[in-house]
Amino acid sequence: MKKWILAGLLLATLNTLGTAQTEEWVCKDQEAITAMERGAAERQLNFRSSALTDDYDIKYHRLEWNINPNNYYISGTVTTYFMPKEANFVALHFDLANTLQVNSVTFHGQEVETYSQSNNMLTINLPNSLAMAELDSVSVTYEGAPPSNGFGSFAQATHSGNPVLWTLSEPYGARDWWPCKQDLSDKIDSIDVLVRTPVAYKVASNGLLKEIIEDGNEHIYHWKHRYPIPAYLIAIAVTNYAEYSDFVPVENGEPIEVLNYVFPENLADAQQATTATVEIMQLFNELFGLYPFAEEKYGHAQFGWGGGMEHQTMSFMGGFSHLLQAHELAHQWFGDKVTCGSWQDIWLNEGFATYLEGLTYQYDLGPNTWDNWLSGKINHVTSAPDGSVFVYDTSSVSRIFSSRLSYSKGAMLLHMLRWKLGDEAFFQGVRNYVDAPELAFGYAKSEDLKGYLEAESGQDLTEFFEDWLYGQGYPSYQMRWFQEGSTLYVRLNQQTSHASVDFFEMPVPVRFLISGGIDTSIVFDHTFDGQQFAIEVPGNVGIVYFDPEQRIVSRNNSVTQGQFTNTEAALLEAVQVFPNPVQDKLNLSLPAGTTLEQARLYHANGQLLAQWAGTVRQLEVGQWPSGAYTVELQTNYGVVRRLVVKQ
């Protein structure tokens, strides 16, 4: 097993099997979304969930379907175990397309006569009332040709002359092919999926394949899934699949099976390509905890679509590029284990999955490089001046799944959080988020992630989230610098691309090449436009690189050399930090009229080590090892930075 070391972190259009891919890919097909939105109004894209389904909890579904991939049709019975949340419960409501015909409803072994369908809702009037929290069940037998909404919630195609049929319910399509509770608040505790199909075909679905029941010229595939799951992640795909498995080693545990159902004509290429999932899962296991559904399986089922979909434990794949494998696997943690509790917060699914693509490149997996991936994402985000990560208009499927905002900007929001918090606090905070008892195998909102990152880092992220999640646009920086003797003066100005954010507060990294072969990076805590800094440097500055490791989403930045004169620069120059070199105690001296607001100590790599209140005049530094450090003093006139050597 390749061991991935978290402490070692320094800081698309999908193509055919086994080939490289560009970075503008997303896991939902944007062209298909745009075409769909031009369709008829009855597709009701503004549907989220119905208040009529809020009065009960789903506990279990037994989903029995008859599917022949040659026919665009579904029939079967869905048995639902539910628990009322209110007393005197007398009517049960399911989301179900009007075009599907309900043949019968059974309750306590008897057919229910009083049910009705209207407005894509099935209403079942029970013969007697149920008490609150009383577990009961109902079975609905139905059939029909489903409407095609969402991304093609029920779809049919061919491959090499063979039929293939699949489902893809995200975001609002589950009701198009089965009676369900379609919301983002109530996960189903467990499911059994039983699909009857001709013997020529295999059925892919969630969980473990418990059995294949032979019945004449048909087989029944019985899949069993015992983890909580939202309705939109339940899926089936049926065709003449070829089947094989890869296995992911787990230290001190059983290997995790990666079950692959692929089109027979793609078998050889797929067997070579999917080995990438083994290394990718090892990396994600190390960074974010063991694969959430390790007691069952992970899998891929190929389908006739130009992207992928993260169905729980069985991602549906249009191909097997490295990027697509990484993205859909990442969703098993971010999107499946913890699911966005609102389509407004879809970035908690798609931003994380996109960022984890990039992490694979940082660890030298796949055909791309980390620097190229970052450049591509920054260019994508800044290709337009507006747009928030948070989705204010969930009536538009194309806005929910905006590749620029929900995917790329969501990913870079995480990248900037990682930079702001440091690797240790960021990754531990994210692990705490996905493992939180109230969130794991449930739903989360943006404020939940914010809270766990704040708790781990000790930082207040309110301003950051207001700017980068809810606000629009990005900053452009203008840096001016000059040197007098050993003092380097820096002024940072900023313009924003959209009026919703007047200023982006960010730690800004700048790399300086100094005479004598010194190469050092300094992080400027940029808190207001026109902020000035004075820094002691051990030589003449030659070359300046602004944000060389692409920590910040920004565009059209400039660095110029030339003096700026004002009284603030003179006052800042008078600030003294001594002795230097230092062993234990570092003294601070400020001129009259200068107020210290906060003092900070940074490692040479930019990591914040300690901070002190403005009343301090002596910093205890004896606990840190010998080496170069940066002392930052936030004053009423600006920020002073001094390089110090610890003996």
Side-chain angles (χ1 to χ4, degrees):
M1 172 178 173
K2 186 176 290 184
K3 184 70 173 175
W4 304 97
I5 307 299
L6 177 60
L9 282 167
L10 298 174
L11 8 193
T13 300
L14 178 66
N15 287 295
T16 56
L17 291 163
T19 61
Q21 62 279 322
T22 67
E23 290 303 304
E24 294 307 314
W25 167 90
V26 294
C27 74
K28 315 298 186 288
D29 187 326
Q30 297 299 301
E31 292 184 3
I33 299 169
T34 303
M36 177 200 62
E37 288 207 309
R38 290 195 294 264
E42 68 265 24
R43 291 179 177 176
Q44 297 184 17
L45 296 180
N46 62 338
F47 175 85
R48 260 81 75 204
S49 64
S50 171
L52 293 174
T53 64
D54 289 343
D55 57 358
Y56 65 95
D57 287 329
I58 298 283
K59 297 302 179 183
Y60 169 78
H61 282 307
R62 181 178 176 89
L63 306 157
E64 301 173 84
W65 290 308
N66 304 299
I67 296 290
N68 185 330
N70 287 287
N71 302 324
Y72 187 89
Y73 203 81
I74 188 170
S75 65
T77 299
V78 173
T79 299
T80 302
Y81 283 72
F82 63 94
M83 188 175 288
K85 295 164 64 176
E86 299 176 357
N88 299 315
F89 185 87
V90 294
L92 182 64
H93 297 88
F94 290 121
D95 297 305
L96 183 66
N98 292 337
T99 55
L100 296 174
Q101 176 183 322
V102 174
N103 296 326
S104 66
V105 176
T106 303
F107 179 72
H108 292 185
Q110 301 294 320
E111 286 197 14
V112 176
E113 300 297 334
T114 53
Y115 63 86
S116 61
Q117 285 181 264
S118 63
N119 299 318
N120 297 306
M121 178 71 63
L122 170 63
T123 300
I124 303 170
N125 296 306
L126 301 175
N128 55 271
S129 65
L130 303 179
M132 184 169 59
E134 178 182 348
L135 182 66
D136 217 317
S137 67
V138 66
S139 296
V140 177
T141 299
Y142 71 104
E143 63 182 306
S148 182
N149 295 332
F151 294 103
S153 47
F154 190 88
Q156 183 187 38
T158 61
H159 63 94
S160 297
N162 297 290
V164 55
L165 186 148
W166 69 88
T167 65
L168 200 165
S169 299
E170 190 179 27
Y172 312 130
R175 66 173 181 178
D176 292 337
W177 59 283
W178 64 284
C180 62
K181 180 179 179 180
Q182 186 164 268
D183 63 9
L184 289 177
S185 60
D186 183 13
K187 285 194 175 182
I188 305 144
D189 289 0
S190 65
I191 61 172
D192 281 275
V193 178
L194 297 95
V195 179
R196 178 185 291 270
T197 193
V199 293
Y201 308 117
K202 294 182 178 180
V203 179
S205 191
N206 313 92
L208 285 172
L209 183 58
K210 183 177 180 181
E211 60 182 337
I212 302 173
I213 304 168
E214 297 183 8
D215 187 8
N217 293 326
E218 296 179 320
H219 284 170
I220 299 172
Y221 280 75
H222 180 185
W223 292 89
K224 175 182 176 180
H225 187 48
R226 292 296 180 263
Y227 290 90
I229 184 171
Y232 83 87
L233 288 176
I234 295 174
I236 57 172
V238 185
T239 191
N240 63 327
Y241 284 122
E243 174 187 349
Y244 68 94
S245 293
D246 299 307
F247 291 90
V248 180
V250 174
E251 190 171 2
N252 300 319
E254 292 296 318
I256 298 169
E257 181 183 14
V258 181
L259 176 63
N260 301 286
Y261 277 18
V262 303
F263 300 158
E265 62 270 22
N266 297 139
L267 177 60
D269 287 337
Q271 286 176 315
Q272 182 177 4
T274 60
T275 57
T277 291
V278 175
E279 289 187 313
I280 295 168
M281 186 181 287
Q282 288 178 280
L283 172 62
F284 293 170
N285 284 346
E286 183 69 19
L287 294 178
F288 304 108
L290 187 65
Y291 169 66
F293 312 103
E295 293 184 7
E296 293 187 355
K297 70 155 191 328
Y298 182 57
H300 299 124
Q302 195 169 5
F303 71 145
W305 201 59
M309 177 62 206
E310 63 277 10
H311 296 128
Q312 198 157 298
T313 72
M314 182 66 100
S315 292
F316 285 12
M317 311 287 283
F320 295 95
S321 68
H322 171 91
L323 183 149
L324 184 59
Q325 291 180 70
H327 188 103
E328 304 305 339
L329 176 59
H331 270 311
Q332 302 299 309
W333 285 261
F334 303 99
D336 292 7
K337 179 181 180 181
V338 178
T339 307
C340 64
S342 163
W343 297 117
Q344 293 185 306
D345 298 287
I346 187 62
W347 78 281
L348 294 176
N349 294 15
E350 301 300 350
F352 264 108
T354 303
Y355 190 54
L356 268 62
E357 297 168 16
L359 290 182
T360 68
Y361 299 134
Q362 185 180 9
Y363 280 94
D364 297 322
L365 302 178
N368 206 346
T369 67
W370 178 232
D371 285 343
N372 286 344
W373 185 88
L374 288 171
S375 296
K377 289 293 173 272
I378 292 173
N379 290 338
H380 193 199
V381 173
T382 60
S383 62
D386 58 355
S388 63
V389 175
F390 189 77
V391 180
Y392 289 98
D393 178 16
T394 58
S395 68
S396 168
V397 175
S398 62
R399 172 57 193 93
I400 293 174
F401 295 102
S402 166
S403 61
R404 184 173 71 89
L405 300 174
S406 298
Y407 290 69
S408 293
K409 194 173 184 182
M412 292 308 295
L413 188 158
L414 293 168
H415 183 63
M416 291 184 289
L417 276 171
R418 178 183 174 188
W419 162 240
K420 181 176 174 62
L421 303 182
D423 277 6
E424 183 176 354
F426 173 78
F427 282 103
Q428 187 59 55
V430 170
R431 286 194 295 269
N432 295 345
Y433 160 78
V434 295
D435 290 338
E438 76 278 14
L439 303 178
F441 303 103
Y443 295 98
K445 301 285 187 70
S446 295
E447 292 300 312
D448 295 313
L449 175 64
K450 174 176 176 285
Y452 277 97
L453 293 176
E454 287 180 331
E456 185 62 32
S457 67
Q459 295 189 31
D460 184 348
L461 297 175
T462 301
E463 179 72 20
F464 179 92
F465 273 72
E466 286 296 323
D467 292 347
W468 287 109
L469 177 65
Y470 302 108
Q472 301 186 52
Y474 56 85
S476 295
Y477 292 94
Q478 300 80 44
M479 174 180 168
R480 189 170 183 84
W481 68 275
F482 71 94
Q483 185 173 355
E484 286 186 352
S486 61
T487 303
L488 176 71
Y489 295 95
V490 171
R491 181 163 60 202
L492 279 177
N493 290 94
Q494 180 192 119
Q495 280 84 46
T496 62
S497 68
H498 193 272
S500 63
V501 180
D502 57 3
F503 185 83
F504 289 92
E505 293 186 14
M506 286 296 294
V508 177
V510 182
R511 180 183 173 200
F512 296 92
L513 298 185
I514 302 173
S515 59
I518 300 173
D519 185 343
T520 187
S521 293
I522 297 175
V523 179
F524 298 94
D525 189 15
H526 195 209
T527 58
F528 59 88
D529 186 35
Q531 191 172 4
Q532 297 184 149
F533 306 84
I535 308 155
E536 292 300 311
V537 293
N540 295 321
V541 173
I543 302 176
V544 178
Y545 298 98
F546 186 87
D547 190 16
E549 295 182 303
Q550 305 180 93
R551 309 284 196 179
I552 304 171
V553 172
S554 62
R555 190 181 184 92
N556 298 324
N557 303 317
S558 65
V559 177
T560 58
Q561 184 178 0
Q563 288 193 348
F564 46 91
T565 58
N566 52 41
T567 57
E568 296 174 353
L571 285 168
L572 293 175
E573 185 178 10
V575 173
Q576 297 182 32
V577 177
F578 61 93
N580 191 10
V582 62
Q583 290 185 338
D584 298 310
K585 301 181 187 299
L586 192 64
N587 299 305
L588 311 179
S589 176
L590 284 74
T594 303
T595 301
L596 180 64
E597 297 172 353
Q598 193 171 57
R600 303 182 185 91
L601 181 70
Y602 291 91
H603 190 274
N605 64 9
Q607 180 185 4
L608 176 64
L609 300 176
Q611 52 188 3
W612 296 267
T615 55
V616 70
R617 289 299 180 269
Q618 191 175 72
L619 310 183
E620 298 281 351
V621 297
Q623 70 209 73
W624 285 284
S626 300
Y629 295 86
T630 299
V631 174
E632 176 187 271
L633 306 178
Q634 176 76 50
T635 78
N636 57 322
Y637 288 116
V639 174
V640 179
R641 281 182 172 267
R642 298 286 189 262
L643 296 180
V644 298
V645 175
K646 169 71 170 55
Q647 291 182 331

